[in-house]
Amino acid sequence: MTSAKRLAILTSGGDCPGLNAVIRAVVSHATLSYNWQVLGIPYATQGLLDGQAMPLSMHGLDLRGIDPLLSMGGTILGTINKGDTLRQHYC
């Protein structure tokens, strides 16, 4: 028996158009085609270092599912563009 797969998504380097559409596509394909659990890491590497994660699913973001993401700019996960976060955290 194989365990369920998990996939984490983070967005880093600043906002750009289309990130929410990419998040939606990954969540949709991973959950519907492979039955994988998808986690969103808020605020890029800072969220990863802080151990933050939120489940993303076709119906987990709001009652309408994640289709509204197609018309939203930016990224629902937030992003950070402030240099070498790993170095700042450990030095």
Side-chain angles (χ1 to χ4, degrees):
M1 180 172 78
T2 60
S3 62
K5 304 280 186 191
R6 290 190 296 172
L7 175 71
I9 301 172
L10 62 82
T11 54
S12 182
D15 276 346
C16 73
L19 287 176
N20 283 327
V22 171
I23 293 167
R24 179 194 179 279
V26 170
V27 171
S28 175
H29 191 67
T31 58
L32 297 177
S33 297
Y34 297 104
N35 199 33
W36 289 359
Q37 180 186 13
V38 182
L39 302 172
I41 309 296
Y43 301 108
T45 50
Q46 190 63 53
L48 186 64
L49 292 171
D50 293 343
Q52 298 177 349
M54 60 186 204
L56 301 176
S57 68
M58 290 302 293
H59 302 288
L61 298 177
D62 62 29
L63 295 176
R64 298 169 293 172
I66 61 174
D67 283 336
L69 292 183
L70 292 177
S71 61
M72 291 174 55
T75 168
I76 61 163
L77 295 176
T79 186
I80 289 180
N81 187 7
K82 63 178 196 179
D84 187 354
T85 306
L86 291 175
R87 181 172 293 156
Q88 292 172 8
H89 189 278
Y90 291 110
C91 295

